[in-house]
Amino acid sequence: MSAVPPPSVPTGFEQAFRPRSVAVIGASDDASRISGRALHYLLRSGYGGAIYPVNNKRDTVQGVRAYPSLDAVPDVPDIALIGLPSHLLKQAVTDCVAKGVAAAVVYAAGFAETGEAGQALQDELAELARAGGLRLFGPNCLGLLHAESGFVGTFSSAFDAEVPTGGNVAVVSQSGAYGGHLAYLCRNRGIGVGYWVSTGNEAGTDVAECVHWLALQDDVSVILAYAEGVRDAGRLRTALAVAHERRKPVIFMKVGSSSTGAAAAASHTASMVGSDDVYDALFRQYGVHRARTTQEQVDLAYVCSRGVLPAGRRLGVVSVSGGFGVQLCDAAERHGLDVAGLPEEARARLREINPMGSDDNPCDTTAGWLNDMSLITDTYRLMYSEGDYDAVVGSFTMLPDSPTYGEAIKEAIGKGTAAYLDRPTVLCMEARSEVVRSYEAAGFLVYDDSERAVAALAGAARLREGFERPLSAECPASSVPRLDLPDGPLSEATARNLLAPAGIAFPFSRVTGSPREAAEAAREAGFPVVMKIVSPDIPHKTEIGGVLLGVADADAADAAYTTLVERVRAARPDARVEGVSVAATAPDGPHLIVGTRSDPVFGPVVMVGTGGVQAELFHDVAVRVGAVDHAEALRMLAEIRGHALLTGFRGAPVADSGAVADLLVTVSALAVAHAGRIDSLELNPVVVRADGLGALALDALVVTHGTGR
């Protein structure tokens, strides 16, 4: 079973992006007004379809015949661009449905972002469009465009200077202003934007649906996305799964991670912001790169738009100065790239090629090669052929801008890399824009900063790794046991009794109701034992002294029972006490925490991390959305800093990571199967025994929805 349901292709997008005819409702003769700019762009871009301005006060608008109403238009437009104020929109959307228009863009603001009245009007528009089969973009959006067809259905000032003429990059943004800014930066960087869309308040179309449809387009190679929040988690997971299947890099800017940022997001587009950790986990699962800055987003798009991603993390470094080489090596270490050394035979060959330069990776060529450009050609050829690097980055300062050397350097590097065009060759250099463009035309990636260059290569390598990694498969629902969950809070003992039949292993434990019973249970378990208060009202027993370790004999167990009961009466006299549990002392091994919680946007998420009482202190966790399979669970374990404790740290035995992965599979499947009932499930600590001996959950907490805890 796949990680998401089989996707159905979103409808109405073909007519929206490649319309044969366009109605501009409320079109203005003034090209500087919002209601006139889209028409101005359509005329300027050479759009070849029919254009129908709708204006009941003019016979022509910007030189084009106008119509008094949409009904009077002699054709059924594929898309309507609606430049009317909010109080006229209900009628406009109704007219579009009646006419049979496939898609409509609503530019106007004043909806959900303004409060309850605006939300009600937005909901009404959304229902009218949904019922009428109308693909609605907006409201409060800047529209969309498709460069190849000349369709520019937006009023964004980002396209004032130049309308995009085509490219393999698509931009999808909730915020029209940010989307326009991104398109502007892409143009300045020489990145061709073929599709651009702003979704605004998303009454009818969200970022996820746009990503889904764009990932299916053969002329889209890279998708840049921006969102402040997500309403439909299933749609987003489907969209990212489609992009993964078709190997389309998605570079996503998800904002609203801070408390102030989240509040701003809610006021801007009335979006609900989920936990930031969950978004990180989601993007990691689906091989999406999460950009933290706009520059990072553009830098990585620049690499990906060229269509060549590094196959691995081995990086060759060439420089004309040792200092620049060191900078590149430092950046590589920060970003997880491997500046591996050359084989001895290759080093000897480097010494022959350039006796004045260094003979390893990084390779400092010094300036001698300026007298003989074949040295740089041979150096690059050797780095690729003998070093087998997945990418080579070279630092050439301002030399390529030199009228004396610039062209010769470009030709020399080109000859040395001609047989390795399946790998990105990056040049760090400063030069005039026309010189940079000529180097790019020769097949090189050009950056003016070594840190950004290496960060982009590392991001591209991670994207390639994500494509090579299959998506996690969910367990069939029929294989997941159904838990008979009672109403109200659950004690640890109740939670253990529910989870044990599902395959979760616990040490011997018995709930006792008297000091005598506690002593008998302790004898059966074998000394020393652990004794804990059992109460559905006390989820964290250590906070009230409700756990006693190392109880050594029957007399001590008798006394421990009384002590625990007295402590709970003093600290929580209102708590219901089911008794005192007596459990066998756990074997040695690293402690982890395994659990799930219900995210308000994405539903069940599963986590694993360093466990015990330090779990919250260190926050060393790996998270995934939904159910995971064994392979994904092992990847989660490898992400946590505490993973070293499982691999034989300082002579300790190698721990049973496979058993923990099995536990993660079970817990995540249970959470998904009981998504409507389980709010959180926590096993903490889980002691991981030596390889082959399994893992034991020492404590269990299950919180059901509505228990208030």
Side-chain angles (χ1 to χ4, degrees), residues 62-109:
Q62 296 184 39
V64 181
R65 178 186 172 183
Y67 297 85
S69 66
L70 183 61
D71 184 59
V73 170
D75 188 10
V76 178
D78 279 339
I79 189 170
L81 309 177
I82 307 176
L84 297 173
S86 58
H87 68 278
L88 298 177
L89 288 174
K90 180 180 175 182
Q91 186 59 54
V93 171
T94 300
D95 291 345
C96 287
V97 170
K99 187 73 172 178
V101 176
V105 175
V106 175
Y107 297 133

Side-chain angles (χ1 to χ4, degrees), residues 247 303 307-315 337 384 388-392 422-424 457-458 460-468:
R247 301 177 74 89
V303 176
V308 179
L309 303 182
R313 293 176 178 252
R314 288 172 55 85
L315 180 66
L337 297 183
Y384 272 130
D388 195 29
Y389 297 114
D390 301 301
V392 174
D422 59 335
R423 313 176 200 189
L457 278 175
R462 283 192 295 274
L463 284 167
R464 176 74 175 262
E465 289 167 357
F467 292 141
E468 304 301 332

Side-chain angles (χ1 to χ4, degrees), residues 303-372:
V303 176
C304 295
S305 67
R306 268 53 179 183
V308 179
L309 303 182
R313 293 176 178 252
R314 288 172 55 85
L315 180 66
V317 175
V318 177
S319 70
V320 297
S321 163
F324 286 104
V326 172
Q327 286 184 26
L328 287 165
C329 291
D330 289 349
E333 182 172 303
R334 282 191 292 273
H335 294 285
L337 297 183
D338 180 16
V339 185
L342 286 164
E344 181 54 43
E345 296 82 357
R347 296 182 64 182
R349 176 66 182 138
L350 261 185
R351 290 191 290 271
E352 293 176 11
I353 291 171
N354 186 3
M356 301 301 294
S358 61
D359 65 350
D360 204 353
N361 184 37
C363 179
D364 174 14
T365 62
T366 71
W369 60 270
L370 292 174
N371 294 323
D372 181 0

Side-chain angles (χ1 to χ4, degrees), residues 512-519 522 527-534 544-568 577 579-583:
T512 62
S514 68
R516 182 179 59 80
E517 289 182 10
F527 297 105
V529 296
V530 177
M531 295 179 63
K532 296 183 278 188
I533 201 72
V534 179
I544 65 158
V547 179
L548 293 173
L549 306 175
V551 179
D553 54 37
D555 289 340
D558 185 302
Y561 182 97
T562 302
T563 298
L564 290 171
V565 171
E566 288 175 350
R567 285 180 179 178
V568 75
V577 176
V580 172
S581 71
V582 179

Side-chain angles (χ1 to χ4, degrees), residues 66 83 178 252 264 281 287 358 405 418 490 666 676 694:
Y178 183 81
F252 212 118
S358 61
Y405 298 113
L490 279 63
T666 298

Side-chain angles (χ1 to χ4, degrees), residues 25 34 79-90 92-94 96 103-111 121-122 125-126 129 134-144 153 155 198-204:
I25 302 176
I34 289 175
I79 189 170
L81 309 177
I82 307 176
L84 297 173
S86 58
H87 68 278
L88 298 177
L89 288 174
K90 180 180 175 182
V93 171
T94 300
C96 287
V105 175
V106 175
Y107 297 133
F111 293 90
L121 178 56
Q122 180 173 306
L125 293 182
L134 176 70
R135 168 63 63 181
L136 184 67
F137 294 86
N140 189 24
C141 81
L142 269 63
L144 66 157
F155 64 89
S198 156
T199 59
N201 285 16
E202 301 189 338

Side-chain angles (χ1 to χ4, degrees), residues 1-9 212 238 242:
M1 182 176 174
S2 64
V4 292
S8 57
V9 179
H212 182 169
T238 294
V242 171

Side-chain angles (χ1 to χ4, degrees), residues 418-439:
Y420 304 98
L421 300 180
D422 59 335
R423 313 176 200 189
T425 297
V426 179
L427 305 179
C428 296
M429 56 185 252
E430 288 284 353
R432 289 159 290 158
S433 59
E434 60 269 25
V435 174
V436 170
R437 294 291 179 257
S438 73
Y439 270 74

